[in-house]
Amino acid sequence: MDLNKNTSPIKKKTSLITQASQILAILIAMALTGMIGSILVSENINTNATKINMASSLQMLAFKTTATLSKDKAAPTAQEVVNFQKQLDIIHTKNQGDFKADNEFNTLLNQVEQTWQKIKEQRDTPKERNNISLEINNLINYLQKNIEQQIRLLRIIQFLGFFIMILVGFVTIYRSQDALITPFKLLMQV
């Protein structure tokens, strides 16, 4: 009985292979999580960049249409109406295809659509003709800010993954000190 009191309790240690497998599983899980997060964010950035391109061409059509209206004081031509409406419909369809509803984007897009309907039906004022370009510009600025936020999120994901990988590496080295380095040093001394 005296012998049991002097000896330390036996620690249940996992094998080195099990520890290495656990570390490898953690690293693989982190890498997959980081990759999936990066893919989702980059796809969202790509969608918003496409919307910016569409809105920019819509803005060019608005400039062209309002310039024509200012000179002639007449209704937009049939081709201008078709081109503008087609581009507006493409943006609207692209927005509906998104899995996450963006209320602010929808509000800005609805403002553009309402102003366009007034221009198209000749119920507009000169101020509204000028406002459509500003409204489209607000839409583009909103998308640009959204992309900037998503790029920041992507950087955070990447830095966080990098930090966690380094942390796992240091923990692994620290834990291997007791499990590998010390026994090897003792073996070398023997």
Side-chain angles (χ1 to χ4, degrees):
M1 295 205 182
D2 203 49
L3 185 63
N4 286 339
K5 289 182 183 177
N6 291 338
T7 61
S8 63
I10 298 174
K11 294 181 183 177
K12 185 178 179 184
K13 288 197 173 195
T14 56
S15 70
L16 291 177
I17 293 173
T18 304
Q19 288 178 7
S21 299
Q22 290 170 345
I23 292 167
L24 186 60
I26 290 170
L27 291 175
I28 289 172
M30 287 179 358
L32 286 174
T33 303
M35 281 189 258
I36 291 170
S38 295
I39 289 169
L40 291 175
V41 171
S42 64
E43 281 299 315
N44 207 359
I45 289 170
N46 188 36
T47 301
N48 282 339
T50 302
K51 287 179 186 177
I52 285 176
N53 288 338
M54 290 180 198
S56 295
S57 75
L58 189 66
Q59 190 172 36
M60 292 304 295
L61 289 170
F63 283 137
K64 184 177 178 182
T65 304
T66 54
T68 303
L69 292 174
S70 297
K71 289 179 188 173
D72 299 339
K73 303 286 186 199
T77 66
Q79 188 61 41
E80 289 171 336
V81 170
V82 168
N83 290 343
F84 194 93
Q85 191 62 49
K86 182 194 259 185
Q87 194 65 26
L88 194 58
D89 291 342
I90 290 171
I91 293 172
H92 196 66
T93 303
K94 183 78 172 164
N95 187 47
Q96 288 177 339
D98 290 346
F99 66 93
K100 184 181 115 181
D102 188 344
N103 292 332
E104 189 170 348
F105 180 80
N106 288 335
T107 302
L108 292 169
L109 187 60
N110 287 337
Q111 287 174 352
V112 171
E113 287 176 334
Q114 289 170 1
T115 304
W116 171 244
Q117 287 302 322
K118 287 181 181 180
I119 292 171
K120 189 167 75 169
E121 296 168 2
Q122 297 180 342
R123 297 182 296 122
D124 62 317
T125 63
K127 183 180 179 185
E128 287 174 323
R129 289 180 186 173
N130 293 332
N131 279 352
I132 194 161
S133 295
L134 295 173
E135 290 170 357
I136 295 170
N137 197 39
N138 289 339
L139 188 68
I140 291 169
N141 287 337
Y142 171 75
L143 291 170
Q144 287 174 334
K145 288 177 186 174
N146 203 355
I147 286 177
E148 289 169 4
Q149 290 173 348
Q150 291 167 348
I151 289 173
R152 279 192 292 273
L153 176 63
L154 187 59
R155 286 184 183 141
I156 289 169
I157 289 171
Q158 291 171 339
F159 283 126
L160 189 62
F162 179 71
F163 174 74
I164 291 173
M165 292 254 190
I166 288 176
L167 184 66
V168 168
F170 280 125
V171 168
T172 302
I173 291 170
Y174 178 76
R175 287 182 64 196
S176 69
Q177 184 72 24
D178 290 337
L180 288 174
I181 308 297
T182 305
F184 279 132
K185 285 183 180 176
L186 291 173
L187 185 62
M188 293 299 286
Q189 288 175 356
V190 170

